[in-house]
């Protein structure tokens, strides 16, 4: 048990250390990108669960992210004052709606972020079940292409749908009020609280996934991944377990989509793009496929660098190159479990060689 | 404990002081968020090159108010989330004086509130009306409004006695905004829309769409897009034997589309700024000199590449900023912002800018000229 | 009492009639062997019974319920567990973990309980672990608990696979060539193990090539050739059956 | 995309047919180099690995093209006639370039068919796809066959890019959507069946064109993907392929 949670504590320490470091060096602006990184990391660890532990690739997870983001963005910006009706008044009485004014003085009546988030997650779950059922029956490149196809369909839908803003996406999404009066928003004043909130969520997600991996279900998933027919013969409902993991990772993606959309104050079709999905897979691949901590740390580094624009106009190319190199030279990922022993071996060998020479 | 606190204070003081001391000699930082790559690279590419050219020019002349200009270009790849991240970074971290861009309306809309919050001037290079309406204190835009372009087209239609039109638009922000404005303005000008089609911005064949329009028996086609698809529209329309006038948006202002469409482009009508027809403008036109200079400079800077109106938007954004600094005689963001808001008669590539607190675009219908294509070249109608 | 009853099942692959109109019963508490020359369709029969393949026609009744058309995991949940001709241990998992997977159908912590690490799962995990150790001790592989299963010697891998199946506490254990690839000593041990499993109250149906093993441990033998049953009898009688001898040794015999 | 771009660049210096030929040759070489550098030396790569490598490569090629050719749109001139000239076939207007596309497409299919059925090399390649190990035992160098198949498909892709780009233009990112559509058509027709692929391509094109009468045009691209998904769910062997053939190609 301690072994499972020790890294979690260490990671939490790292998060606090980073914040303190930015505070004392007066570079708190780094926290903005780090917060965004946290939400992307949520997608990554969910996907890592699916790829690494259930052994199913998905090249369409940006689709789930976009479903979450777009649903909440649409519901919290669509001015229901313009569409009065029985349904609207019923919703208003039930407290699901909120009247607010936008930044330029116009008054709006929109869905409250909490129910919007609920709807977004629910929709992602339903779609994941509907898509996952038939898709997960496929294998190899058929599975890859089918999930890719799903991602492209979502991309095309948001791009072609007028009420989702077409190519412009949706702007002016309000902050997400939490119970304690905290607000998920990109405003600089709420930077520190949002940073902790986002990473707190990631840590919570990690704890949940680590628990799952070490549970009966995690063992069953590993069995399915290792030898599917034998797992079936042991009474493990392989199809259902794969589907559940797919849905679980879709929920992670959708939740990240919801929260990042509130943080950024908007969402655009680029979040649903194929490149985004490929990027998530690339990060999981470098992290070592079945290695949640690897995926998390690579996500932290790469997303942060990308969001700060370090890769310039080579942003997509960088991820393409990473994918190729990893798949060519280290298909098990850079951060695989025995890297420490590899290092030890290398270290212990070197002095011996030096002595010999 | 006290000692440690004191040390922290001292460090912070040092950082603060070094900041103020350095101010005098430090360059003016101007950030630019442009989609140099990605689906809107045809906007961001020329914009980035134009800015690089202008900044090099300014610095060669000794800078502005004795200070050099430092340009920080961030490639957003047309992703709003990156634009958001970069805007935060430029404002909070680089503490830029102003941001030029983003290239697309979607991105501009998303960082409108970031610029407001960060009290930093944003000179958007995107066209959507919503960027400056409602007016945000710090947000300006340089491209002409869709509305004025459409009004210009409708004026022309009145002259040609056209009342029944078919509308095509791409599914981008530009296309959607144009379509919305056409639908809104057409009834006021006695024009009926009998066919209305939206196509994908990456479409490579639009025969089906133009066939549908042909079936609706219209007197003219209006196509609203900025993508290569606009060349495909005219080609497909002519191929199915449709001979009615075709109007394009000001997004047609790139000679490459004329080249791509070849003979089909002949006779296409579209409103545009005067940049495209600079060499045939009358001598007394106030924009002529600036336009010719931009064309020449851009071509020599980019080794032979023709300039486009998109680069012009960045050009205008930059010269308006400089004008603002010169007028305000300071680099105080607030003072410059007020100065820009009251600028009148600034000659740019897109027209003559007259800003006011309620108009952060500053261009009117006279910014447009009705153009056509004659023998593979743009010409004034 | 009959535990498993196979009634007239057939299976066709394209132009090949792999199994045709096959019927036999397995009595509770017995060891039954399924033998036949290579390509007789023995593994296909196993696949049909254990739900890996649906039969084209016919019925399979297990413990009083019709199970044909059920998936392999449903069949397993009803208490029929199989092993594989080519060992299918779970890679990257220790012997202990492999056997713990066998306890799957006797535990119930799902996705939510697992993620939340609910208290009831702690006791459940402990019981899974205890039971798994018990089985490993029984099979004499307790010392390898922490070893990666597929790094063991071949013979031990077979034992682990049987152990994993036993962890399911099956009513009926299907063993697909349990002695394949084992040496003489290991084969004898496997024979003793199978007899012991029967003594524990588990019914066994096995496919095996090693005739001495089959004749030593089975109560009854079914002989198939080209997908058809040609004999079903006690081992001694089978050894004297002319048809069986003809099938195995050719027409000249 | 690569073929089209190269042809456009070359057509400034040499006559059109020569430029296209050179573009096809160059792309073929690039295809071979990619196979040799990235695929050949991998020892029994898993399909997942191959798929991910291919996706990575497509991104890399696209980004390289962006940095070589920039973001602008290019086009080749029409082979015959101009962009407005069209041929009236029983009241239907068809651009002459369409006839070129159809004609060359038919030629390529015929040539492929002949190659696979009549030449030794073609038969060897089919043997490799059916059973790599068995083919190797028969003395066929499977590695060379894979390189060759990469070259052939690269050449055909480049040729396709050249003949279609006067109509659709070519840009640095015009390859990816075509690749997905190509995969859809290949699956639809059953992998490894070029005649059926042509039929499948026509069906897909017709469905897409008609879809705009029912659905908003912007969803047109999604249609082909949706069809791909449905085919994968219902009959992964393709509508023209047999289940037996598909099982042979199971990975």
């Amino acid at each position: 048990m301690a072994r499972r949670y020790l890294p979690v504590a260490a990671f939490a320490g790292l998060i606090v250390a980073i914040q303190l470091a930015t505070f004392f060096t007066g570079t708190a602006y780094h926290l903005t990108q780090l917060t965004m990184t946290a939400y992307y990391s949520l997608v990554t660890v969910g996907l890592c669960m699916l790829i690494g532990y259930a052994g199913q690739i998905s090249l369409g997870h940006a689709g789930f992210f976009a479903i979450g983001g777009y649903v909440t963005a649409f519901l919290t910006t669509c001015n229901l004052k313009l569409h009065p009706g029985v349904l609207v008044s019923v919703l208003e009485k039930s407290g699901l709606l909120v009247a607010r004014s936008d930044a330029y003085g116009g008054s709006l009546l929109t869905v409250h972020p909490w129910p919007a988030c609920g709807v977004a997650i629910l929709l992602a779950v339903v779609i994941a079940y509907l898509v996952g059922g038939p898709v997960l029956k496929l294998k190899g490149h058929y599975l890859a292409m089918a999930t890719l196809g799903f991602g492209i369909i979502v991309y095309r839908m948001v791009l072609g749908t007028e009420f989702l803003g077409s190519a412009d996406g949706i702007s002016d999404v309000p902050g997400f009020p939490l119970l304690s009066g905290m607000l998920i928003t990109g405003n600089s004043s709420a930077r520190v609280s949002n940073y902790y909130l986002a990473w707190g969520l990631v840590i919570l997600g990690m704890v949940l996934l680590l628990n799952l991996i070490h549970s009966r279900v995690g063992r069953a998933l590993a069995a399915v991944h290792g030898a599917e027919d034998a797992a079936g013969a042991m009474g493990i409902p392989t199809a259902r377990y794969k589907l559940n993991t797919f849905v679980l990772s879709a929920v992670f993606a959708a939740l990240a989509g919801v929260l990042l959309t509130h943080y950024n104050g908007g969402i655009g079709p680029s979040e649903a793009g194929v490149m985004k999905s490929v990027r998530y897979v690339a990060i999981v691949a470098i992290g070592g496929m079945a290695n949640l901590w690897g995926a998390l740390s690579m996500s932290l580094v790469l997303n942060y660098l990308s969001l700060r624009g370090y890769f310039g106009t080579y942003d997509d190319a960088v991820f393409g190159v990473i994918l190729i190199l990893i798949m060519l030279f280290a298909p098990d990922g850079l951060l695989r479990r025995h890297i420490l022993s590899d290092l030890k071996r290398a270290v212990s060998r070197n002095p011996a060689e030096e002595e010999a020479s | 404990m006290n000692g440690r606190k004191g040390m922290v204070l001292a460090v912070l003081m040092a950082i603060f002081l070094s900041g103020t001391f350095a101010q005098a000699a430090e360059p003016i930082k101007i950030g630019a968020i442009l989609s140099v790559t990605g689906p809107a690279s045809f906007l961001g590419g020329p914009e980035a090159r134009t800015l690089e050219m202008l900044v090099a020019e300014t610095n060669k002349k000794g800078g502005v108010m004795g200070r050099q200009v430092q340009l920080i270009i961030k490639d957003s790849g047309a992703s709003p989330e990156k634009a958001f991240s970069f805007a935060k970074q430029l404002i909070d971290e680089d503490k830029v004086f102003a941001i030029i861009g983003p290239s697309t309306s979607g991105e501009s809309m998303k960082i409108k509130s970031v610029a407001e919050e960060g009290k930093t001037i944003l000179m958007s290079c995107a066209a959507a009306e919503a960027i400056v309406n409602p007016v945000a204190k710090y947000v300006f835009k340089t491209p002409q409004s869709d509305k004025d372009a459409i009004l210009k087209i409708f004026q022309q239609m009145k002259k040609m006695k056209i009342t029944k039109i078919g509308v095509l638009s791409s599914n981008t922000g530009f296309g959607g905004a144009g379509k919305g404005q056409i639908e809104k303005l057409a009834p006021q000008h006695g024009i009926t829309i009998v066919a209305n089609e939206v196509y994908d911005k990456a479409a490579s064949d639009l025969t089906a769409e133009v066939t549908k329009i042909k079936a609706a028996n219209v007197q003219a086609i209006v196509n609203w897009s900025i993508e290569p698809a606009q060349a495909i529209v005219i080609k497909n329309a002519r191929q199915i034997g449709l001979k009615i006038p075709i109007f394009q948006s000001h997004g047609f202002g790139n000679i490459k589309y004329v080249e791509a469409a070849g003979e089909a482009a002949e006779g296409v009508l579209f409103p545009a700024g005067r940049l495209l027809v600079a060499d045939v403008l009358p001598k007394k036109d106030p924009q002529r000199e600036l336009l010719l200079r931009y064309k020449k400079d851009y071509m020599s800077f980019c080794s032979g590449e023709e300039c486009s109106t998109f680069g012009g938007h960045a050009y205008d954004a930059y010269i308006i900023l400089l004008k603002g600094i010169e007028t305000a005689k300071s680099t105080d963001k607030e003072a410059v912002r007020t100065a820009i808001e009251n600028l009148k008669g600034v000659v740019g590539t897109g027209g003559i800018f007259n800003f006011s607190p309620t108009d952060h675009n500053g261009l009117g219908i006279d910014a447009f000229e009705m153009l056509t294509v004659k023998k593979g070249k743009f010409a004034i109608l | 009492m009959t535990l498993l009853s196979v009634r007239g099942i057939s299976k066709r692959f394209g132009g090949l009639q792999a199994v045709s109109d096959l019927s036999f019963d397995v009595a509770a508490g017995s060891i039954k062997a399924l033998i036949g020359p290579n390509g007789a369709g023995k593994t296909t029969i196993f696949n049909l019974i254990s739900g890996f393949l649906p039969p084209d026609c016919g019925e399979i009744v297990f413990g009083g319920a019709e199970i044909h058309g059920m998936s392999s995991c449903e069949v397993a949940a009803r208490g029929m567990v199989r092993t594989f001709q080519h060992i299918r241990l779970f890679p990257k998992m220790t012997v202990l973990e492999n056997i713990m997977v066998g306890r799957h159908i006797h535990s119930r912590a799902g996705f939510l309980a697992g993620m939340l690490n609910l208290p009831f799962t702690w006791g459940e995990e402990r019981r899974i672990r205890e039971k798994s150790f018990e089985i490993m001790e029984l099979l004499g592989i307790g010392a390898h608990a922490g070893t990666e299963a597929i790094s063991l010697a071949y013979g031990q891998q077979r034992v682990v696979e049987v152990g994993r199946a036993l962890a399911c506490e099956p009513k009926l254990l299907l063993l697909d060539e349990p002695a394949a690839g084992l040496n003489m000593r290991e084969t004898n041990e496997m024979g003793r193990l199978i007899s012991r499993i029967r003594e524990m109250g588990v019914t066994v149906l096995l496919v095996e090539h090693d005739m001495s093993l089959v004749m030593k441990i089975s109560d009854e033998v079914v002989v198939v050739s080209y997908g058809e049953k040609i004999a079903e009898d006690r081992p001694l009688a089978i050894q004297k059956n002319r048809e069986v001898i003809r099938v195995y040794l050719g027409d000249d015999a | 995309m690569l073929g089209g771009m190269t042809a456009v660049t070359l057509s400034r210096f040499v006559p059109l047919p020569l430029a296209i030929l050179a573009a096809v040759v160059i792309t073929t070489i690039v295809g071979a180099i990619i196979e040799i550098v990235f695929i050949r030396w991998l020892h029994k790569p898993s399909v997942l690995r191959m798929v991910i490598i291919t996706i990575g490569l497509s991104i890399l090629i696209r980004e390289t093209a962006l940095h070589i050719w920039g973001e602008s749109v290019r086009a080749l001139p029409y082979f015959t006639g101009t962009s407005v000239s069209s041929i009236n076939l029983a009241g239907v207007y068809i651009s002459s370039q369409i006839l070129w596309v159809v004609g060359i497409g038919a030629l390529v299919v015929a040539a492929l068919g002949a190659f696979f059925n009549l030449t030794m090399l073609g038969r060897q390649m089919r043997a490799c796809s059916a059973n790599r190990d068995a083919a190797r035992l028969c003395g066929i160098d499977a590695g060379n066959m894979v390189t060759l198949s990469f070259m052939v498909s690269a050449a055909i892709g480049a040729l396709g890019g050249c003949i279609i780009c006067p109509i659709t233009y070519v840009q640095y990112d015009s390859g990816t959507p075509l690749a997905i559509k190509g995969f859809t058509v290949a699956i639809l027709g059953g992998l490894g069946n070029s005649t059926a692929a042509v039929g499948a391509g026509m069906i897909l094109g017709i469905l897409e064109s008609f879809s705009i009468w029912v659905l908003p045009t912007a969803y047109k691209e999604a249609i082909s993907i949706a069809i791909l998904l449905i085919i994968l769910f219902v009959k992964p062997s393709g509508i023209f392929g047999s289940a037996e053939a598909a099982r042979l190609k199971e990975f």
Side-chain angles (χ1 to χ4, degrees), chain C residues 230-251:
Chain C
I230 56 170
E232 180 175 5
D233 215 328
R234 300 190 164 278
L236 282 175
I238 286 289
Q239 280 171 311
K240 295 185 187 117
N241 187 312
R242 288 191 161 273
E243 181 69 8
V244 175
I245 294 167
R246 191 184 62 80
V247 163
Y248 267 92
L249 302 176
D251 285 323

Side-chain angles (χ1 to χ4, degrees), chain D residues 214-248:
Chain D
V214 199
L215 285 167
T217 324
Y219 295 149
K220 196 162 100 179
E221 296 285 319
I223 298 289
S224 63
I225 316 279
I227 292 173
L228 166 71
L229 287 188
I230 292 167
I231 294 294
L232 281 178
F233 296 164
V234 180
K235 198 160 180 293
S237 52
I239 44 178
F240 296 113
S242 66
E244 305 298 316
R247 198 170 306 126
L248 281 177

Side-chain angles (χ1 to χ4, degrees), chain A residues 55-57 135-136 138-148, chain D residues 232:
Chain A
Q56 307 298 309
I57 192 168
V135 161
L136 293 172
L138 305 169
K139 290 196 162 53
H141 63 323
Y142 290 107
L143 176 65
M145 287 308 290
T147 50
L148 184 68
Chain D
L232 281 178

Side-chain angles (χ1 to χ4, degrees), chain B residues 270-285:
Chain B
F270 68 103
R274 294 179 180 80
L275 175 64
L276 303 169
V277 284
D279 13 347
V280 288
L281 278 177
K283 286 248 154 50
K284 59 180 192 305
D285 193 288

Side-chain angles (χ1 to χ4, degrees), chain D residues 109-144:
Chain D
V109 170
L112 267 185
F115 171 71
F116 279 124
N117 289 312
L118 302 178
T119 66
M120 193 61 204
L121 204 59
R123 285 198 212 111
Q124 287 183 349
M125 202 184 269
R126 272 167 56 208
C128 278
S129 110
N131 188 333
R132 209 176 158 150
D133 292 328
R136 193 173 284 146
L137 287 176
C138 297
I140 301 171
D141 185 341
N144 280 346

Side-chain angles (χ1 to χ4, degrees), chain B residues 206-367:
Chain B
L206 297 165
T207 311
E209 284 82 351
V210 288
T211 311
K212 237 171 141 178
I213 297 237
K214 192 185 176 188
N217 213 358
V218 298
Q219 290 171 299
I221 295 178
V222 181
N223 173 59
W224 214 262
S225 59
I226 29 175
E227 296 81 19
Q230 50 188 340
I232 299 174
V233 168
I234 39 181
K235 242 161 64 172
N236 288 156
R238 296 307 182 218
Q239 274 164 3
I240 63 160
L242 208 53
K243 293 193 175 64
I244 53 173
I246 298 178
F247 288 89
Q248 293 273 10
S249 72
H250 44 304
F252 194 65
N254 187 335
I255 199 75
K256 282 207 176 103
Y257 294 138
V258 176
E259 284 167 11
E263 234 170 86
E266 289 296 303
V268 165
L269 296 162
F270 68 103
R274 294 179 180 80
L275 175 64
L276 303 169
V277 284
D279 13 347
V280 288
L281 278 177
K283 286 248 154 50
K284 59 180 192 305
D285 193 288
Q287 281 179 271
R288 187 183 148 95
E289 194 202 328
L290 175 121
L291 292 174
L292 286 175
R293 192 174 66 227
Y294 174 43
K295 277 188 116 154
K296 203 179 94 229
D297 291 352
Y298 188 84
M299 198 173 266
S300 66
F301 186 78
C302 299
S303 49
E305 189 188 307
E306 283 275 350
C307 65
S308 69
T309 44
F310 310 130
H313 299 326
Y315 191 97
D316 294 346
Y318 185 75
I319 58 171
I320 289 166
L321 262 184
L322 289 202
K323 199 83 175 178
I325 296 174
E326 279 161 15
T327 315
K329 294 194 176 52
S330 95
T331 54
D332 178 55
K333 286 181 190 176
E334 191 56 40
V336 174
R337 191 206 73 83
T338 316
I340 293 178
E341 203 169 74
N342 294 307
L343 282 178
K344 301 274 185 248
V346 181
V347 178
T349 64
I352 297 170
F353 290 85
N354 294 303
F355 290 102
S356 77
T358 52
D359 182 3
H360 275 196
N361 181 15
L363 292 175
I365 188 168
D366 54 355

Side-chain angles (χ1 to χ4, degrees), chain D residues 63-176:
Chain D
E63 296 298 313
T64 317
L66 171 67
H67 284 95
I68 294 178
W69 284 295
E71 74 285 345
S72 47
V73 177
R74 289 142 207 266
L76 281 176
Y78 275 60
F79 295 179
T80 50
T82 63
S83 54
V84 281
S85 63
S86 59
I87 298 158
N88 189 337
L89 284 178
V92 182
Y93 294 92
I94 296 175
S95 163
S96 62
Q97 190 66 27
I98 301 279
L99 296 179
W100 274 103
V101 173
V102 173
I104 294 179
L107 261 178
V108 167
V109 170
L112 267 185
F115 171 71
F116 279 124
N117 289 312
L118 302 178
T119 66
M120 193 61 204
L121 204 59
R123 285 198 212 111
Q124 287 183 349
M125 202 184 269
R126 272 167 56 208
C128 278
S129 110
N131 188 333
R132 209 176 158 150
D133 292 328
R136 193 173 284 146
L137 287 176
C138 297
I140 301 171
D141 185 341
N144 280 346
M145 286 300 135
V146 177
T147 316
L148 191 65
S149 65
F150 254 79
M151 288 167 67
V152 170
S153 61
I156 295 175
L159 186 63
C162 291
I163 58 177
I164 199 86
C165 95
I167 305 178
T168 62
Y169 317 132
V170 55
Q171 204 180 353
Y172 76 95
D173 62 351
S174 46
T176 323

Side-chain angles (χ1 to χ4, degrees), chain C residues 8 18 24 32-33 51 58 64-65 79 92 97 107 131 137 143 196 229 239:
Chain C
F24 65 89
K32 189 143 192 166
K92 292 183 195 163
E97 283 169 333
S107 44
K131 183 78 190 172
E137 291 308 325
R196 239 168 59 217
K229 182 169 90 173
Q239 280 171 311

